[in-house]
Amino acid sequence: MNAVRVGFLGLGTVGSGAVRALREGRERIAARVGAEVIAVRAAVRDLSKPRPVDLTGLELTTDPLAVAAAPDLDVIVEVIGGVGVAREGVTAALRAGKAVVTANKELLAKHGRELFALADEHGGEIAFEGAVAGGIPILRALGHGLAGNRIREVIGIINGTTNYILSSMTATGRPYAELLAEAQAAGYAEPDPTNDVAGHDAAYKLAILAMLSFDTWVDIDAVARDGITRVQPADIAVAGKLGYVVKLLGIARRRPLWSPLEVAATGDLPPAPSLARRGSAEEGIELGVHPTLVPKGHPLAAVNDVYNAIFVEGSSVGRLMFYGRGAGDGPTGSAVVGDLIEVARHRCNHCRAALPPLDADLPLVPTDEVSSRYYVRMRVLDRAGVLAKLAGILGEEQVSVAQMLQTESDADWAEIVWITHPTSGRSIERSLARMAELEVVVEVSNVLHCLESGE
Amino acid sequence: MNAVRVGFLGLGTVGSGAVRALREGRERIAARVGAEVIAVRAAVRDLSKPRPVDLTGLELTTDPLAVAAAPDLDVIVEVIGGVGVAREGVTAALRAGKAVVTANKELLAKHGRELFALADEHGGEIAFEGAVAGGIPILRALGHGLAGNRIREVIGIINGTTNYILSSMTATGRPYAELLAEAQAAGYAEPDPTNDVAGHDAAYKLAILAMLSFDTWVDIDAVARDGITRVQPADIAVAGKLGYVVKLLGIARRRPLWSPLEVAATGDLPPAPSLARRGSAEEGIELGVHPTLVPKGHPLAAVNDVYNAIFVEGSSVGRLMFYGRGAGDGPTGSAVVGDLIEVARHRCNHCRAALPPLDADLPLVPTDEVSSRYYVRMRVLDRAGVLAKLAGILGEEQVSVAQMLQTESDADWAEIVWITHPTSGRSIERSLARMAELEVVVEVSNVLHCLESGE
């Protein structure tokens, strides 16, 4: 094989950047691959639209399926996004036995299993490093470098837009809506921001991280998902007083939970309390995207603006963190070109990377059984005996309090903030429902998750 | 192929851990590889020594070369260390066309080029993720995930022992020798600590990072190398006052230096001053291991104890950081087993990973031409006009001062600490030589490198 011929589905900024990178890095890439890697054809919606790259030698067409299945192409780069044409194109390419490079997190989170199966059936492969955390090579690490580990948990700040907005809220004390508008003006948030701010984007990425960490398929619709729209400046301020910052975290944990360090030290299962604290010892995974209080000493607390970071804990490797820009043309383009070099090399050597094995078939732990610390902010009437009533309910529901802060107000109510020890979603929900019925409770202002310092 | 047969050279804690991991992860690994991966034989020095792993089914011998070249073995794992028997064993294995997994940084830093050539010639491969930063998959990232980038610089805390000692010195204010003794007692430092504390280990790792970042062979003997033995509690204390912590950093930079963000923004070369500040625009690499002042706001400043971290800046990806345990049986074992899974998979698929292309042939920039900020602590007589004399010399040698701190003492001398703007090694050396000749200078107590906050 003298050249690896590449077709593009879509030619936006990431696609154009990849075409440019192939041209500019031509010799270096050829040396690594063992053949030249050439951008041959691209399917675009608008042939006349100006592109930020020299199109010489690149054939443009408006028919993505023709590109996807073209017999003269070896590799297809899908940078259309979404699950419509992108899915059809990737499916056609895989059916034709091609290698596919994509950064489409929604496509993989929703249809990954069927696409991996297609790739397997037709001898192709799918590389998708750019789908999670931009240029941070976290998927390759989970799928290959850490393959000798049993992964315990993955905790990630995996959406740059929401991290930018929460960082700004923390720095300025200003409300969500104002900062969203600024982020939109600056191009850090979409005109319709739902996909980011409601946690969809983070949930897609978390599902992909969980698949690679735990070798299991994840039903994206079953992932607990919450966004940042209900985070108020008051929450950020009081969290700060208590020693926390608020971040949108995606957390994936393998049950039964065990501490690899304890196991390594004793060669035995961890002592009962740490299992008990975490709830049942049944097999499964916990998955959730939630605005979460992060202790200021935790490395994730210092990850600000559009940066992403992913914490991984594995049985032999212990704790790792990967940090970098999670989105944008440069970082995503870096991942796409890295994937392109790899699959091109495989084509030349008539081999392919392992497809993610999704055969562990682990059930998702229902939200109300997942154990977490909780932050609760509420307003109560400023009367004697109120605290005793609230504490009584918490005690009956087995919720134990780790931190509490009460502040006076000018009105006749007081604000109370609790941070609980780990408790089930069910217990916290029941406690709050019972409290809300009390006459002395004016409102439950907000409930957020809270990370333990040791996590 | 129904099984991939593995031979071990050495069976210490990392080797034993890998044998155990292969056995315990048998099914999962077989699913990833497409065949069982079996530990068949191990060469050890002492057949009767008890091993921390069940040896059933594992044949022990005292002849490493017989294992290395055995026709019934597909993969050789070298965990002997050093460049004697290890080099002979790896050479024999590569000559026999086998895949080699090793975590031997000294072997690769000293003989990597010849070993890569041998692998190439005989169709084998070498995987060596464990050689740098334990379980952190940084080499795979540089060689594959970031292959579409031009790497600008790599800055690493890549020796756990020295980071542990410096962290303890910072936390307690106690002197080096005491904390070294404690680290030795705790097993964090070797009985002969030279390899760690004199910077040899970090230099080997830095050379390997530079090879993969810049596609060039590095002459390990030419790498500027300095250890931590001369770092005094007084340096750590005064650095703290000025807003820095002291870390042993390995720094590798590609010249001419450019800021990828500037290039991306303007599509043009960076403005002249930033090139000029860095010295010449000639092609080359700067490589050095030095105890260095790190600004407290820099992410590397928070990397303590035995943890390692590596900062990478690439042309498209921007800044990345990788953080985790850099040594120890678990982390290194994680890397070795990850490599083993990968090369076993390649064997099954009759392919191999790309060997590092070392053809860029970049010269090493001589130390006295490398630009850096410097920290200088000196004692001077407490007399009028001293400062003017010192400042006069700095001015004449084109050294510009960024920060200065003078403290009184009970004696008739004062302590002066300078932090300079970036200057060449030659200028700082000349300045200090001229200052030392002044009658008013009692002593130049210490000179350390200093990282810029923007780096």
Side-chain angles (χ1 to χ4, degrees):
Chain A
M1 189 182 286
N2 291 321
V4 176
R5 297 167 61 86
V6 184
F8 285 77
L9 307 181
L11 199 61
T13 47
V14 171
S16 300
V19 168
R20 194 183 318 114
L22 286 184
R23 194 170 292 150
E24 286 174 3
R26 192 176 148 174
E27 283 180 35
R28 198 164 40 85
I29 292 171
R32 276 177 198 265
V33 170
E36 279 206 67
V37 181
I38 308 169
V40 171
R41 203 167 304 137
V44 297
R45 217 179 313 186
D46 179 357
L47 289 172
S48 62
K49 188 176 163 187
R51 311 273 163 187
V53 62
D54 175 10
L55 297 173
T56 316
L58 190 70
E59 196 186 318
L60 293 192
T61 148
T62 54
D63 184 353
L65 292 185
V67 171
D72 65 328
L73 298 177
D74 306 297
V75 180
I76 298 299
V77 177
E78 182 274 305
V79 279
I80 297 176
V83 291
V85 179
R87 183 183 176 193
E88 289 172 41
V90 169
T91 302
L94 292 174
R95 278 194 197 286
K98 298 188 196 309
V100 169
V101 173
T102 176
N104 190 331
K105 59 220 82 163
E106 185 180 359
L107 179 64
L108 291 160
K110 290 184 174 167
H111 306 290
R113 184 157 55 178
E114 92 198 22
L115 297 175
F116 299 148
L118 259 185
D120 195 33
E121 193 184 329
H122 296 276
E125 69 176 308
I126 314 182
F128 50 99
E129 185 62 73
V132 179
I136 306 175
I138 179 67
L139 301 187
R140 200 176 305 264
L142 288 171
H144 298 274
L146 304 178
N149 285 262
R150 185 173 147 134
I151 304 294
R152 179 185 187 272
E153 68 177 5
V154 179
I155 307 183
I157 295 175
I158 43 182
N159 179 271
T161 303
T162 50
N163 201 42
Y164 176 81
I165 294 173
L166 289 176
S167 299
S168 302
M169 286 176 77
T170 306
T172 65
R174 291 166 58 204
Y176 164 76
E178 273 181 44
L179 293 164
L180 169 65
E182 288 186 11
Q184 286 172 319
Y188 289 146
E190 302 283 333
D192 174 359
T194 315
N195 189 42
D196 291 314
V197 301
H200 293 285
D201 175 79
Y204 297 146
K205 293 168 179 168
L206 183 67
I208 295 171
L209 287 170
M211 288 181 209
L212 296 191
S213 298
F214 308 127
D215 295 342
T216 191
W217 175 248
V218 169
D219 174 9
I220 184 69
D221 294 324
V223 176
R225 179 185 49 76
D226 192 4
I228 63 162
T229 51
R230 65 189 177 80
V231 177
Q232 295 164 31
D235 298 313
I236 288 178
V238 73
K241 273 188 209 162
L242 292 167
Y244 298 87
V245 292
V246 179
K247 298 284 177 194
L248 186 68
L249 297 188
I251 302 185
R253 288 205 182 92
R254 178 77 162 84
R255 270 203 193 178
L257 280 149
W258 37 271
S259 159
L261 299 179
E262 286 171 32
V263 175
T266 65
D268 220 340
L269 278 174
S274 95
L275 272 181
R277 210 188 55 185
R278 285 308 195 174
S280 88
E282 278 165 37
E283 296 271 337
I285 53 173
E286 301 179 358
L287 277 185
V289 172
H290 300 285
T292 305
L293 272 65
V294 178
K296 283 181 183 169
H298 195 289
L300 286 172
V303 176
N304 288 317
D305 303 325
V306 294
Y307 276 85
N308 281 18
I310 293 148
F311 235 86
V312 180
E313 186 165 346
S315 53
S316 342
V317 79
R319 287 159 170 235
L320 292 177
M321 189 172 90
F322 301 77
Y323 169 93
R325 284 174 176 272
D329 311 338
T332 305
S334 166
V336 166
V337 176
D339 278 352
L340 201 40
I341 292 174
E342 182 148 306
V343 302
R345 196 168 185 287
H346 289 162
R347 288 274 133 171
C348 285
N349 288 275
H350 308 287
C351 66
R352 54 183 180 139
L355 290 155
L358 301 180
D359 50 1
D361 207 18
L362 295 167
L364 225 59
V365 177
T367 315
D368 59 2
E369 286 176 23
V370 172
S371 172
S372 169
R373 291 166 79 111
Y374 284 92
Y375 151 98
V376 179
R377 181 166 60 87
M378 52 172 50
R379 286 181 179 175
V380 298
L381 293 181
D382 204 358
R383 288 197 204 143
V386 171
L387 211 53
K389 274 190 190 157
L390 298 174
I393 292 177
L394 291 173
E396 284 163 29
E397 298 295 344
Q398 311 277 327
V399 176
S400 146
V401 174
Q403 273 179 285
M404 208 206 86
L405 182 72
Q406 177 170 347
T407 38
E408 263 188 320
S409 83
D410 293 338
D412 67 340
W413 47 263
E415 187 169 77
I416 296 187
V417 174
W418 320 88
I419 289 179
T420 73
H421 282 297
T423 184
S424 71
R426 185 182 296 122
S427 297
I428 199 78
E429 206 170 292
R430 274 197 206 154
S431 307
L432 293 175
R434 285 180 60 187
M435 287 176 180
E437 280 174 17
L438 297 178
E439 223 174 282
V440 294
V441 171
V442 181
E443 68 164 17
V444 175
S445 313
N446 219 343
V447 184
L448 299 172
H449 285 245
C450 179
L451 199 64
E452 283 182 81
S453 10
E455 286 178 318
Chain B
M1 187 182 289
N2 291 322
V4 176
R5 295 167 63 87
V6 184
F8 285 77
L9 307 181
L11 200 60
T13 47
V14 171
S16 300
V19 169
R20 194 183 317 115
L22 287 184
R23 194 171 291 148
E24 287 173 2
R26 193 176 148 173
E27 282 179 37
R28 198 165 39 86
I29 291 170
R32 276 176 198 266
V33 170
E36 280 207 66
V37 181
I38 308 169
V40 171
R41 201 168 305 138
V44 297
R45 217 178 313 186
D46 179 358
L47 291 171
S48 62
K49 188 175 163 187
R51 313 271 163 189
V53 61
D54 176 7
L55 297 173
T56 316
L58 190 70
E59 195 186 318
L60 293 192
T61 147
T62 54
D63 184 354
L65 293 185
V67 171
D72 65 327
L73 298 177
D74 306 296
V75 180
I76 298 298
V77 178
E78 183 274 306
V79 280
I80 297 177
V83 290
V85 178
R87 184 182 175 194
E88 289 172 39
V90 169
T91 301
L94 292 174
R95 278 194 198 285
K98 298 188 196 309
V100 169
V101 173
T102 176
N104 190 332
K105 59 220 79 162
E106 185 180 358
L107 179 65
L108 291 161
K110 290 184 176 167
H111 306 290
R113 184 156 55 177
E114 90 198 24
L115 297 175
F116 298 148
L118 260 184
D120 195 32
E121 193 184 330
H122 297 278
E125 69 176 308
I126 314 183
F128 49 100
E129 185 63 72
V132 179
I136 306 175
I138 179 66
L139 302 187
R140 201 176 305 264
L142 288 172
H144 299 275
L146 304 177
N149 284 263
R150 184 174 150 134
I151 303 295
R152 180 185 186 272
E153 69 177 3
V154 178
I155 307 182
I157 295 175
I158 43 182
N159 179 271
T161 304
T162 50
N163 201 43
Y164 176 81
I165 294 173
L166 289 175
S167 299
S168 303
M169 286 177 76
T170 305
T172 65
R174 291 166 58 205
Y176 165 75
E178 273 181 44
L179 293 164
L180 170 64
E182 287 185 12
Q184 287 172 318
Y188 289 147
E190 301 285 332
D192 174 358
T194 314
N195 188 45
D196 292 315
V197 300
H200 292 286
D201 176 79
Y204 297 145
K205 292 167 178 167
L206 183 67
I208 295 170
L209 287 171
M211 289 181 210
L212 297 192
S213 298
F214 307 127
D215 295 344
T216 191
W217 174 247
V218 169
D219 174 9
I220 183 69
D221 294 323
V223 176
R225 177 185 50 75
D226 192 3
I228 64 163
T229 53
R230 64 190 177 80
V231 177
Q232 294 163 33
D235 297 313
I236 288 177
V238 74
K241 273 188 210 161
L242 291 166
Y244 298 87
V245 292
V246 180
K247 297 284 178 195
L248 185 69
L249 296 188
I251 302 186
R253 286 204 183 94
R254 177 78 162 85
R255 268 202 194 180
L257 281 149
W258 37 269
S259 157
L261 299 179
E262 287 170 32
V263 175
T266 65
D268 220 338
L269 279 175
S274 94
L275 271 181
R277 214 187 52 185
R278 284 307 194 177
S280 86
E282 278 164 37
E283 295 273 336
I285 53 173
E286 303 179 356
L287 278 185
V289 172
H290 299 284
T292 305
L293 272 67
V294 179
K296 282 181 185 169
H298 195 290
L300 287 172
V303 176
N304 288 317
D305 303 326
V306 295
Y307 276 85
N308 281 19
I310 292 146
F311 235 85
V312 180
E313 186 164 347
S315 53
S316 347
V317 80
R319 287 159 170 235
L320 292 177
M321 190 173 89
F322 301 77
Y323 168 95
R325 285 174 174 272
D329 311 338
T332 305
S334 166
V336 166
V337 176
D339 277 351
L340 201 39
I341 293 173
E342 181 147 307
V343 302
R345 195 168 187 286
H346 290 162
R347 288 275 132 169
C348 285
N349 288 274
H350 309 287
C351 66
R352 55 184 181 140
L355 289 154
L358 301 181
D359 50 1
D361 207 18
L362 294 168
L364 225 59
V365 177
T367 316
D368 60 1
E369 286 176 23
V370 171
S371 171
S372 168
R373 290 166 80 109
Y374 284 92
Y375 151 98
V376 179
R377 181 166 61 87
M378 51 171 51
R379 286 182 180 173
V380 298
L381 293 182
D382 203 357
R383 291 199 200 142
V386 170
L387 211 53
K389 274 190 189 156
L390 298 174
I393 291 177
L394 292 173
E396 283 163 30
E397 298 294 345
Q398 311 277 325
V399 177
S400 142
V401 174
Q403 273 178 287
M404 209 206 84
L405 182 72
Q406 177 171 347
T407 39
E408 263 188 321
S409 82
D410 292 339
D412 67 340
W413 48 262
E415 187 170 79
I416 296 187
V417 174
W418 320 89
I419 289 178
T420 73
H421 282 297
T423 184
S424 71
R426 185 182 296 125
S427 297
I428 199 79
E429 209 170 290
R430 274 197 205 154
S431 308
L432 293 176
R434 286 181 59 187
M435 286 177 181
E437 280 173 17
L438 297 178
E439 224 175 283
V440 294
V441 171
V442 181
E443 66 163 21
V444 176
S445 313
N446 219 343
V447 184
L448 299 172
H449 285 245
C450 178
L451 199 64
E452 284 182 81
S453 7
E455 285 178 318

